[in-house]
Amino acid sequence: MLLLQMLLGLGYTALAHLASRWHHDGLALGALVLLIAMVVIEPLLARRPWAYVATPLLAWGAWALYAAGHAALPLLLVPVVFVVAIAWLFARTLRAGSVPLITRIVLGIEGGDGPEALEPDLRRYTRNLTAAWAGVLLLMAGANLLLALIASPAGLLESVGVASPLPITQEQWSLWANLLNYSVIGGFFVIEFAFRKRRFPGRYSGFLDFLRKLAGLGPVFWRDLLR
């Protein structure tokens, strides 16, 4: 299921970028359909009643936007909502009484019944890293929103009749929102790993070993972690 959702997400990203680059409403509609499928496929297969109600309504909404010539408008907000949602996954685990998300991952890799199983320095580091991820993602969401506002033509400001004070093309917006976003996330991930490997030596033989350990946690771990 996770693999299917990832494939749908990749398809959405490709169509959304092409729709912005070529100003093509048909591709924008296709991107919306893939996005809807990515969101509802799991609850549909789980036979959750709300999914059977929401799916046709979402499909109708996508078609109505396309018929009105506004199929590309929701694509401006998807990167903002998506990144904020991921930031919330990190931030919510910083509440009192919760185990920070990165701490949970380290416990999954190294074993242990709770945060106390980790040495104090590592426990503090994983909490601070969880907060750092939340902060970086919120900054990215802010950048996504700013660029969506000033995009031209048909950015968020222009869609309500306000001229963009610093117009950028739809292609430039899409390059950041649909492609470079992931480069920033990947770069932060790699740089942080290099720092952590020096700060806490002896835990991983290299980056590939770290990735193998993450993958070895299994889909059930990741599903439960993100709930």
Side-chain angles (χ1 to χ4, degrees):
M1 179 57 62
L2 182 60
L3 177 60
L4 177 57
Q5 289 175 314
M6 289 177 62
L7 291 174
L8 289 169
L10 289 173
Y12 161 79
T13 299
L15 285 184
H17 180 63
L18 292 175
S20 299
R21 182 174 182 178
W22 295 337
H23 306 286
H24 197 293
D25 270 2
L27 291 175
L29 176 62
L32 288 177
V33 169
L34 290 180
L35 179 65
I36 292 169
M38 183 177 67
V39 171
V40 302
I41 185 67
E42 183 176 1
L44 281 175
L45 293 178
R47 299 183 180 180
R48 295 175 184 166
W50 68 263
Y52 289 96
V53 176
T55 300
L57 290 176
L58 290 170
W60 175 83
W63 178 259
L65 286 169
Y66 171 73
H70 299 304
L73 193 58
L75 303 184
L76 291 168
L77 290 174
V78 168
V80 179
V81 173
F82 177 69
V83 175
V84 167
I86 299 176
W88 169 243
L89 290 176
F90 284 87
R92 67 176 182 172
T93 65
L94 296 171
R95 295 175 296 185
S98 295
V99 180
L101 190 142
I102 302 296
T103 307
R104 297 181 194 179
I105 295 174
V106 173
L107 284 169
I109 292 175
E110 301 194 2
D113 296 329
E116 296 75 17
L118 302 178
E119 58 193 72
D121 280 353
L122 182 57
R123 192 161 65 243
R124 283 192 297 271
Y125 181 83
T126 55
R127 180 177 181 81
N128 291 337
L129 180 58
T130 301
W133 268 111
V136 167
L137 289 165
L138 285 175
L139 287 174
M140 288 175 57
N144 285 336
L145 180 58
L146 175 62
L147 294 178
L149 284 167
I150 64 175
S152 180
L156 293 178
L157 285 177
E158 291 191 357
S159 68
V160 294
V162 178
S164 173
L166 187 64
I168 63 169
T169 66
Q170 286 275 351
E171 184 177 358
Q172 288 171 325
W173 162 80
S174 181
L175 184 64
W176 166 259
N178 293 314
L179 298 175
L180 294 182
N181 256 347
Y182 304 104
S183 299
V184 172
I185 292 173
F188 185 76
F189 185 77
V190 171
I191 292 170
E192 184 280 320
F193 171 79
F195 175 81
R196 177 160 29 106
K197 193 169 184 293
R198 293 176 63 88
R199 178 70 176 78
F200 301 99
R203 283 183 156 81
Y204 317 106
S205 61
F207 189 62
L208 291 179
D209 177 52
F210 174 58
L211 293 180
R212 279 194 295 268
K213 289 182 176 180
L214 288 179
L217 293 173
V220 174
F221 173 88
W222 293 106
R223 183 194 63 201
D224 292 344
L225 181 76
L226 298 177
R227 281 182 173 175

